[in-house]
Amino acid sequence: MKIKIIKGGITKIETDAIVNAANSSLLGGSGVDGAIHRTGGSVILEECQQIRNKQGKCKTGEAVITTAGNLPAKKVIHTVGPVYQKGENKEKELLANCYKNSMLLAKKNHLQSIAFPNISTGIYRFPKQVAAEVAPSTIKSTPILDEVIFVCFDNENYTIYKNLLNYE
Ligand code: ADP
């Protein structure tokens, strides 16, 4: 399994699946969620609505899959990261579940490559260094896809990931 780090926006990544840091409503939001829906178009929201009608809200740590609309990726996997409180509400475990369940859902849909944003490290306030200590280690313990890309939008996350994974 290849692991890559890219600095930039996830909506430009050509891969089998990109992951959205969604909220439990699945009906869109700000940050990376807003960018994905804006760029991908209304067909993504329509599929999210259908999923909601069928199964209700998406629980923290779980994931669902939709079309990618106008995005260069084939599919979007929407996962709901934990809101960071004091680290006493199983935030790390829930964040690990996001990465693991997204990988499993990709595999189940015969997808081989996946790109992740830095889930929960924006509005959900997860400390970036702690989140980065969860993400790659969870991926490495679930080596079921050919390629995983960590897409770091902000400089701080990019530096943390490069240091952690020993990239130049
Ligand atoms: P959350 O609610 O899970 O914290 P946010 O979207 O607020 O979700 O932030 C998660 C991460 O996504 C942050 O590190 C933020 O810098 C990053 N981000 C924001 N826009 C984009 C984008 N277009 N592509 C990739 N990452 C993005």
Side-chain angles (χ1 to χ4, degrees), residues 5-9 13 150-159:
I5 304 166
I6 290 180
K7 168 103 177 62
I13 307 291
F150 289 108
V151 183
C152 301
F153 192 66
D154 56 90
N155 283 322
E156 193 186 344
N157 266 314
Y158 184 60
T159 306

Side-chain angles (χ1 to χ4, degrees), residues 33-93:
D33 198 3
I36 286 173
H37 281 284
R38 248 190 334 271
T39 315
S42 57
V43 62
I44 299 180
L45 187 59
E46 282 160 25
E47 282 196 19
C48 283
Q49 258 153 352
Q50 284 166 14
I51 293 167
R52 272 229 37 182
N53 293 342
K54 242 201 279 181
Q55 66 175 54
K57 289 187 179 186
C58 186
K59 293 199 187 100
T60 305
E62 294 186 357
V64 302
I65 189 165
T66 67
T67 179
N70 301 322
L71 293 163
K74 291 186 192 146
K75 293 280 184 183
V76 177
I77 291 176
H78 307 260
T79 187
V80 181
V83 177
Y84 195 86
Q85 271 129 12
K86 288 180 184 161
E88 292 162 2
N89 290 309
K90 299 203 186 313
E91 287 96 329
K92 281 205 230 175
E93 289 90 332

